[in-house]
Amino acid sequence: MTTSARMSDDGYVIVCPGFHAPELTDRAIAALDLPLTLNVIAIPERIWPSDPVGIAGYLETQIPPECRTSPVSFLAFSAGTVGALGAALLWRSPIRTIVLCDGWGVPVLPLLEGRSPAPISAPTSAPTVHRLSHDRWTHDTWGRMGIATPSFCAEPAVEHLELWGEVDRVTGHAFDLAGCPTGETTAKDYIRRSLGLG
């Protein structure tokens, strides 16, 4: 699995995969075509995807103390959404956004919204969490678990692993915070926009 050693000022993207072949994550990272100015850290297989303490501890070893003010974004898939959300609560540096791919059953709590170095007990309403789903049923039911978030639904539906491993080929619709459709797009483009990459 790829882990970037670049050090730049554009912050970090923390990639939290699920239980699957690491080649899927390698392909997803490559397909997203992230700019070289971003530091990409993929959580390795030896860390349980749903272990937020393990993920946060790994980040402590990968992000030097002098870089802890750089913004962090989390990009997670499947079981990795559990670890990413928990690690986001534990991580005390600024968090830009959290992108959750097919984490059905994992509720998004209000205190994750707009979390900066603010205390955990001080939730805000900024919509910085985004969800992607591989089919309409997952999109509709997962959207009722926790707070509303901007989202993407694959249409036509694809297999669960295809959403991650073929992220650049999956098409669908984006929805705003109120659940209103905002247009057709690809999963790749939706993730890039969610990460602030246009």
Side-chain angles (χ1 to χ4, degrees):
M1 195 169 291
T2 308
T3 300
S4 171
R6 296 188 303 266
M7 300 297 242
S8 72
D9 294 332
D10 283 357
Y12 295 82
V13 174
I14 313 305
V15 180
C16 301
F19 295 104
H20 51 75
E23 292 77 20
L24 286 178
T25 298
D26 291 340
R27 189 190 186 295
I29 293 172
L32 286 170
D33 193 27
L34 300 173
L36 294 175
T37 52
L38 277 175
N39 301 293
V40 180
I41 299 174
I43 303 303
E45 273 187 286
R46 69 178 184 273
I47 297 173
W48 200 254
S50 55
D51 177 9
V53 174
I55 292 171
Y58 182 74
L59 296 182
E60 293 279 348
T61 70
Q62 298 298 305
I63 302 178
E66 62 272 17
C67 297
R68 301 277 167 83
T69 57
S70 297
V72 167
S73 295
F74 285 87
L75 171 59
F77 173 69
S78 194
T81 62
V82 177
L85 287 170
L89 285 174
L90 296 172
W91 192 248
R92 300 316 301 160
S93 297
I95 294 178
R96 181 180 286 149
T97 191
I98 301 170
V99 182
L100 307 174
C101 302
D102 250 5
W104 188 90
V106 180
V108 178
L109 304 176
L111 54 87
L112 283 171
E113 289 289 306
R115 185 207 164 282
S116 231
I120 288 178
S121 60
T124 69
S125 59
T128 58
V129 179
H130 302 263
R131 299 186 222 211
L132 290 87
S133 300
H134 76 281
D135 65 11
R136 176 61 75 163
W137 183 87
T138 303
H139 176 266
D140 291 344
T141 55
W142 187 24
R144 295 195 281 275
M145 300 174 191
I147 59 170
T149 66
S151 58
F152 168 90
C153 177
E155 291 176 340
V158 297
E159 294 295 323
H160 173 64
L161 291 177
E162 191 176 347
L163 179 63
W164 192 238
E166 305 290 332
V167 66
D168 53 333
R169 299 176 189 170
V170 175
T171 60
H173 290 86
F175 299 85
D176 63 17
L177 191 61
C180 299
T182 59
E184 295 183 16
T185 186
T186 63
K188 170 186 174 176
D189 289 344
Y190 185 82
I191 290 171
R192 286 180 55 86
R193 283 199 306 273
S194 298
L195 293 173
L197 303 176

